[in-house]
Amino acid sequence: MAAGVVGSSCRVECVARAVDTWYSYGRGYAVKGVSLEVYEGDRVVVMGTNGAGKTTLLKLLAGMLKPSKGRVYLCGYDTREVDESLTARFIGYVPQNPWLLVFNPRVIDEIAFTAKNFGLDPAEAEASILDVATRLDIVHILNRSPYTLSEGEIRRVVLASAIVHKPKLLLLDEPTAGLDNVLKDRLIETIKSLSRDYGVALVLATHDVEILPFLRDFRLVVLRDGAVAFEGSVGEALENPSVFYDSGLQPPVGVRISEKLGAYIDFYGVDPVANLLLSRKKLRDRICR
Ligand code: ATP
């Protein structure tokens, strides 16, 4: 159910609400009957195999696509009824390919563009740019051309642009793609602290199951062939690997190892497995000495 349209301010608690939402690009449906509510301060991770409909769902939640059937409400506005420019200020969106959003000569212009576009006054914009740049560790590259940056740097710049106007909802499509493990961990921590400190709800789409153990406090939505196959906590899914297998995903490696160990223990008993592990450790210690 939608809250009324209330001018330019967002007064409702539910930041985004998809109600039996379907989307078709022309043939079949990419998103099928998805209902999802995202409240202030919520953190949601959307998982699914390639083609499961994650990007399409994110674009629907961003108001960039209008549902073919059903409704999406953003801060109370029905996205089918209002122009995207009205709801855009509530949203920070980082696409899978961050380069799609880059077009200014310097990093600082890139971030300032969003700030100006969403009506921050110059003093407010300056303070906000400095704050996000500091948090994302990009102060030293503010005067660089975005086209000279590394993958990790450009991802942080585009994230800074997406959040500088303090949106209500931050949507991130595969934010860790192309990053090494150290950068991945760092980016996830930064995203979490930004969403907490800015009070922005977060929806993150990924098929990288290995980041799940770092998102234990997130709600998990698994899409299979455009429809919601599971909705619950990340912790719940990690305890129940069939959530992953049923949707064509593999659980994180830690879960798979414990599954395998469990199966070996069931078959051989605890002592033989423990001895095997210990002897491997002894062997490795000897080799590495
Ligand atoms: P990935 O992990 O590979 O990015 P995804 O889960 O984000 O996949 P979507 O990109 O939403 O999935 O695609 C869902 C379905 O919609 C796929 O079958 C895809 O081929 C189709 N699709 C996506 N974009 C378009 C488009 N612009 N035109 C036609 N079909 C599209």
Side-chain angles (χ1 to χ4, degrees), residues 32-147:
K32 299 174 183 166
V34 171
S35 292
L36 179 67
E37 293 183 347
V38 183
Y39 288 88
E40 277 174 1
D42 250 358
R43 293 157 159 204
V44 181
V45 54
V46 178
M47 293 218 118
T49 56
N50 290 126
K54 303 180 294 296
T55 299
T56 308
L57 179 60
L58 247 56
K59 286 181 175 172
L60 285 162
L61 293 176
M64 295 159 70
L65 295 176
K66 316 283 182 188
S68 312
K69 290 197 278 179
R71 301 279 179 187
V72 171
Y73 300 99
L74 279 178
C75 292
Y77 293 93
D78 181 338
T79 59
R80 293 217 302 201
E81 305 290 331
V82 297
D83 193 77
E84 194 190 330
S85 59
L86 188 71
T87 50
R89 78 195 64 186
F90 303 131
I91 304 296
Y93 176 75
V94 179
Q96 200 162 347
N97 177 0
W99 293 103
L100 293 176
L101 294 186
V102 175
F103 56 94
N104 282 289
R106 293 179 310 162
V107 166
I108 192 162
D109 306 319
E110 202 56 57
I111 307 170
F113 179 85
T114 321
K116 194 169 161 221
N117 208 21
F118 289 115
L120 268 63
D121 68 47
E124 205 184 351
E126 195 180 330
S128 192
I129 291 170
L130 192 61
D131 186 46
V132 286
T134 306
R135 286 163 177 276
L136 287 161
D137 193 22
I138 52 171
V139 174
H140 60 293
I141 55 170
L142 282 176
N143 286 312
R144 292 255 305 267
S145 160
Y147 300 99

Side-chain angles (χ1 to χ4, degrees), residues 35 90 112 115 136 146 171 179 216 220 286:
S35 292
F90 303 131
L136 287 161
L171 299 157
L179 301 187
R216 278 182 173 270
L220 173 66
R286 200 168 300 156

